[in-house]
């Protein structure tokens, strides 16, 4: 989990996220997910090269991460100044979106379909060198 500094006063809050300063990579791609139903599971993949920061700007969602070696964790993203850092080669499932959820995704790489691993069994084999 990563907590970003908040600045603010009676006018509201300001959160600044700078690549290579607040997060461990240069931001090359930004996208966001909204309008997903509570029962929808997004992600369901790992990336060979891309690192990510996920921040729920509004509402809430959960992120389940797996390392391919039997370890997994679930994170609840529900504060707009807190995110999760996902290094490369981590399986990720995003789910349990609230109706007002807006999940911001910051990526270290431009989109490249070839770097996505979309089969969990293949991911486990890659992680375990098989």
């Amino acid at each position: 989990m990563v907590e970003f500094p908040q600045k603010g006063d009676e006018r509201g809050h300001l959160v600044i996220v700078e690549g290579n300063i607040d997060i461990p990579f240069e931001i090359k791609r930004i996208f966001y997910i909204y309008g997903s139903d509570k029962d929808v599971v997004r992600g369901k993949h790992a990336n060979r090269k891309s690192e990510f920061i996920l921040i729920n700007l509004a509402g809430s969602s959960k992120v389940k991460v797996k390392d391919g070696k039997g370890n997994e964790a679930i994170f609840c993203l529900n504060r707009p100044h807190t995110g999760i850092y996902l290094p490369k080669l981590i399986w990720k499932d995003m789910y349990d979106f609230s109706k007002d959820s807006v999940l911001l995704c910051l990526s270290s790489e431009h989109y490249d379909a070839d770097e996505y691993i979309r089969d969990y069994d293949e991911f486990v084999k890659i992680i375990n060198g098989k």
Side-chain angles (χ1 to χ4, degrees):
M1 295 294 292
V2 181
E3 189 158 340
F4 303 106
Q6 297 183 82
K7 300 179 187 241
D9 53 29
E10 67 280 350
R11 299 171 296 162
H13 296 283
L14 173 68
V15 177
I16 300 168
V17 180
E18 295 186 82
N20 291 325
I21 295 175
D22 300 302
I23 60 174
F25 56 80
E26 176 186 347
I27 301 166
K28 293 188 179 173
R29 181 167 57 117
I30 299 171
F31 59 97
Y32 52 93
I33 298 168
Y34 70 99
S36 292
D37 290 332
K38 188 172 186 69
D39 298 328
V40 169
V41 179
R42 305 289 305 251
K44 299 197 285 189
H45 66 267
N47 295 78
R48 297 175 195 275
K49 299 184 302 187
S50 293
E51 301 170 74
F52 295 94
I53 292 282
L54 306 182
I55 306 166
N56 232 100
L57 298 178
S60 63
S61 66
K62 291 182 181 167
V63 181
K64 180 188 286 187
V65 295
K66 299 179 183 180
D67 68 359
K69 297 182 178 187
N71 300 304
E72 64 180 62
I74 297 173
F75 299 90
C76 182
L77 300 178
N78 59 6
R79 298 184 302 164
H81 65 281
T82 304
I84 182 173
Y85 167 66
L86 301 175
K88 63 183 179 180
L89 291 173
I90 291 292
W91 190 267
K92 61 197 103 6
D93 295 328
M94 292 85 76
Y95 64 100
D96 199 16
F97 295 94
S98 65
K99 287 185 180 192
D100 59 342
S101 176
V102 178
L103 180 60
L104 177 68
C105 306
L106 309 175
S107 176
S108 66
E109 303 295 326
H110 296 289
Y111 180 76
D112 175 5
D114 292 336
E115 70 125 349
Y116 280 68
I117 306 166
R118 299 188 186 275
D119 179 88
Y120 187 73
D121 292 335
E122 177 187 352
F123 167 69
V124 170
K125 288 178 186 174
I126 290 168
I127 291 299
N128 293 295
K130 296 180 182 175

